[in-house]
Amino acid sequence: MNRDMVERIQDRQYEMLLEIRRICEKYEISYFLCCGTLLGAARHNGPIPWDDDLDVGLLRSEYERFLLHAQKELSDRYFLQTWHTDAGYALPHCKIRDKNSHYVEKVSAKSGCMDGISVDVLPFDAIPNTMPVQRLHGFLLNDIMNLVKLKRNWIFIRENRVSPVREKIYRILACCISENSLIRLYEKICTAYNGNIGFPMVSEAAGLDYFRFTARRSDYLKTREMRYRDELFRVPRRYKALLRKSYGDYMKLPPMQERTGQPEVMKVTINE
């Protein structure tokens, strides 16, 4: 993807970020920039130049409040996409989709889900306090999500590291369990530890790589402002420690060959 197209995607995402912030501030919902977006704010005062992804995080209780208010507050330009509002969408977190664009990814191209340029809105949940149980918890959630993907006609790509034998087992199980049952089970397991205040927290977007992205609840409760492009947004107060844990020397630019956007993007069109 050429640099001009990446910048146009980033511009559209920034408009969506402003809309998310507007809703959060109106209803006093606590949010924070996270993942690569937090890295971009700290290192570039804006998006990572070659990145076409934008992430906003909320603790689960705040996330549920955001979904409630966004349903009626979100501008008509955007679509609130969850696996409850879009029968073709197979991820457990919300995306805000731009209705006047298309960002077609190979993994979901045949699903029929809404495919506009998006911002990921990620719920953060508590996870088990010991590494062996964390791994079991992560693998179980990943397996359930893969079953939902199969039922909603998403495909497995190389990054999922799913063996042919395991995929065959998924296909057998997917025929036996309803989508609604899988989604209810996923959400029950994902939120099961939220009553344990001292347990570590992470977003499901971290996948199985829990260790790099876990943090204490207090790390996300306390936030500060940081410039991102032309405006100030909330970030975790201990953002430096979080970024060091996730990315190491986060101020150091990666090698040129690693400065790429999201893989497996088939087509991007942006209407004015």
Side-chain angles (χ1 to χ4, degrees), residues 132-151:
V133 186
Q134 281 182 12
R135 290 183 62 82
L136 177 62
H137 183 258
F139 276 114
L140 183 57
L141 289 177
N142 191 62
D143 285 341
I144 297 170
M145 183 172 64
N146 282 336
L147 290 173
V148 176
K149 287 180 177 180
L150 276 175
K151 294 185 79 69

Side-chain angles (χ1 to χ4, degrees), residues 11-261:
D11 288 345
R12 195 61 61 94
Q13 290 173 328
Y14 184 61
E15 293 170 1
M16 287 186 274
L17 178 59
L18 292 171
E19 176 72 352
I20 292 168
R21 186 188 65 175
R22 180 188 69 80
I23 295 172
C24 288
E25 290 181 345
K26 179 175 180 178
Y27 292 97
E28 298 182 345
I29 297 170
S30 298
Y31 75 95
F32 46 87
L33 304 185
C34 62
C35 307
T37 306
L38 177 59
L39 175 60
R43 190 170 67 194
H44 304 277
N45 296 123
I48 297 171
W50 54 88
D51 191 18
D52 53 358
D53 189 32
L54 199 153
D55 302 298
V56 176
L58 304 93
L59 299 187
R60 173 64 69 170
S61 59
E62 300 296 280
Y63 174 82
E64 297 296 342
R65 290 181 61 222
F66 174 80
L67 293 183
L68 178 65
H69 293 297
Q71 289 178 35
K72 59 180 183 295
E73 283 280 344
L74 201 62
S75 165
D76 290 341
R77 297 170 55 194
Y78 307 126
F79 174 61
L80 181 70
Q81 185 180 51
T82 71
W83 55 15
H84 298 290
T85 64
D86 186 338
Y89 183 64
L91 297 178
H93 64 266
C94 163
K95 287 181 182 284
I96 305 300
R97 292 278 191 183
D98 173 62
K99 295 179 180 179
N100 295 309
S101 62
H102 294 280
Y103 184 92
V104 183
E105 298 177 85
K106 182 178 179 180
V107 68
S108 57
K110 297 180 180 179
S111 69
C113 71
M114 206 285 190
D115 61 5
I117 291 169
S118 67
V119 170
D120 292 302
V121 181
L122 307 173
F124 279 64
D125 293 294
I127 60 172
N129 206 23
T130 60
M131 184 64 72
V133 186
Q134 281 182 12
R135 290 183 62 82
L136 177 62
H137 183 258
F139 276 114
L140 183 57
L141 289 177
N142 191 62
D143 285 341
I144 297 170
M145 183 172 64
N146 282 336
L147 290 173
V148 176
K149 287 180 177 180
L150 276 175
K151 294 185 79 69
R152 296 197 166 184
N153 208 25
W154 286 43
I155 65 170
F156 289 97
I157 55 177
R158 190 177 301 109
E159 285 73 18
N160 284 332
R161 301 187 295 275
V162 177
S163 69
V165 172
R166 193 169 183 179
E167 183 174 347
K168 187 174 292 186
I169 294 172
Y170 283 151
R171 294 190 182 279
I172 293 172
L173 290 173
C175 293
C176 304
I177 310 173
S178 71
E179 285 183 21
N180 288 338
S181 296
L182 289 168
I183 289 171
R184 285 197 300 269
L185 180 60
Y186 184 99
E187 292 176 341
K188 182 176 182 178
I189 295 172
C190 191
T191 59
Y193 294 88
N194 283 343
N196 299 283
I197 295 176
F199 280 26
M201 304 200 77
V202 72
S203 164
E204 51 77 23
L208 300 178
D209 198 4
Y210 273 178
F211 177 75
R212 283 179 57 206
F213 295 98
T214 54
R216 298 172 299 181
R217 185 184 299 264
S218 60
D219 291 331
Y220 298 121
L221 286 173
K222 298 177 181 179
T223 61
R224 50 159 287 181
E225 289 185 327
M226 180 179 287
R227 184 163 297 282
Y228 186 88
R229 293 183 63 155
D230 301 326
E231 299 280 346
L232 295 174
F233 296 88
R234 307 304 299 184
V235 301
R237 184 174 296 178
R238 295 184 64 252
Y239 73 92
K240 293 181 180 179
L242 294 175
L243 288 174
R244 279 196 296 269
K245 183 176 183 181
S246 300
Y247 302 103
D249 184 4
Y250 63 89
M251 294 301 288
K252 182 180 179 181
L253 291 173
M256 288 296 297
Q257 63 270 20
E258 295 180 15
R259 301 180 193 181
T260 58

